[in-house]
Amino acid sequence: METRIRQSFAKQSMMQTFGADLTRVTEGEVQITAPILPGSRQQRGVAHAALTFALGDTAAGYAALTKMPNDHEVMTAEIKINLLAPGAGDYLRATGRVIKPGRRLIVVTAEVHAITDEEEKLIAILQGTMVPVAL
């Protein structure tokens, strides 16, 4: 399962652009980290919400994929984000989790934290639905 997830993640050019790394894969949970690079900051110097959303959505999607058979992938049907605090830090860590797996719909969530050497702060939560797609 982990090899399959890592091979798929390696094909995501957007995650490569963000310098993202797949840091943990377990059944029903995936963690992704990415530095807050100069090209992914907003005008106040913190992580752009688009970076936060992309990491959360991707972590949640891969968490769902850990529950799928090898002849399926997943796509986001809908996902919402609550931005709780500015993404101020050295990097972001998104942890996606499966809440309820199903054959047609998979309910997922993700938390995104901003991390510095001394501090870890929850900056966003996401909740959504993934749809299995046959290959």
Side-chain angles (χ1 to χ4, degrees), residues 63-124:
L65 189 59
T66 68
K67 298 287 197 173
M68 292 288 96
N70 288 337
D71 63 344
H72 280 74
E73 288 195 347
V74 298
M75 294 192 70
T76 305
E78 59 85 27
I79 197 160
K80 80 172 271 273
I81 187 169
N82 290 101
L83 297 164
L84 307 173
D90 299 320
Y91 65 96
L92 299 183
R93 182 184 67 224
T95 305
R97 294 181 183 90
V98 173
I99 301 301
K100 184 177 186 316
R103 288 182 297 142
R104 295 184 186 187
L105 300 173
I106 304 146
V107 177
V108 294
T109 188
E111 292 183 353
V112 182
H113 290 81
I115 314 280
T116 63
D117 287 335
E118 302 85 31
E119 188 179 3
E120 177 176 320
K121 185 170 188 173
L122 179 64
I123 63 163

